[in-house]
Amino acid sequence: MTAKEYLGQAYRIDQRIKNKTEQLNSFRELAVNVSSTISDYPSKGTRNVYRLENTIVKIVDMENQIKADIDRLINLKIEITNAIDAVDDENCKELLRLRYLELKSWSEIADEMDYSVPQIYRIKNKALKKFVVPQKTIANDSK
């Protein structure tokens, strides 16, 4: 695994958490809207009497998945922080921290570090060369 692939895991997990959270909100909205229709006419076919129960089960499953992803993200960020701290150049450390832990854009990093974007790209290339991917990683443990 390259340094860039390793460091990019946090972003992908963060995006997955956001997507699952949106799904969870949708499930919750469905659960609130589940109601019986009262009518004088007999129903056509069989009703799904377990509809609310099924929705609640999906909600609980999604909440558990999100919790597991959050735990994995926290552990990965701790691991990434330790690996970034091992880099011997302070500019490289700062750039890696801003990009891969705080998930900032290159232009935001350039503004914060008071460099031009092309300079930031040069520092990024240097930082990725100096960065050492830990041998035993969260990603390897979860496979």
Side-chain angles (χ1 to χ4, degrees), residues 57-122:
V57 168
K58 288 177 185 175
I59 289 170
V60 171
D61 287 344
M62 187 63 65
E63 286 173 341
N64 290 334
Q65 289 176 23
I66 291 169
K67 286 177 188 175
D69 284 343
I70 289 171
D71 287 344
R72 184 165 182 261
L73 180 60
I74 290 168
N75 291 333
L76 180 63
K77 282 192 171 191
I78 291 168
E79 186 178 278
I80 289 172
T81 299
N82 292 335
I84 288 173
D85 287 343
V87 173
D88 63 358
D89 183 305
E90 290 303 316
N91 276 340
C92 292
K93 280 184 192 182
E94 182 68 6
L95 180 136
L96 292 170
R97 184 183 62 76
L98 291 171
R99 178 65 176 180
Y100 297 105
L101 293 174
E102 296 184 21
L103 307 174
K104 293 190 176 186
S105 70
W106 294 118
S107 60
E108 290 173 319
I109 294 168
D111 289 342
E112 191 163 326
M113 292 182 71
D114 200 28
Y115 287 109
S116 68
V117 173
Q119 286 173 308
I120 288 297
Y121 287 134
R122 283 192 288 279

Side-chain angles (χ1 to χ4, degrees), residues 2 10 19 21 26 33 35-38 47 50-51 64 77-78 89 93 100 120 122 124-125 127 130-131:
T2 68
N19 291 339
T21 301
S26 174
N33 292 330
S35 63
S36 301
T37 304
I38 301 173
R47 288 184 13 215
Y50 301 106
R51 184 172 173 193
N64 290 334
K77 282 192 171 191
I78 291 168
D89 183 305
K93 280 184 192 182
Y100 297 105
I120 288 297
R122 283 192 288 279
K124 174 199 75 159
N125 291 334
K130 289 181 174 265
F131 185 84

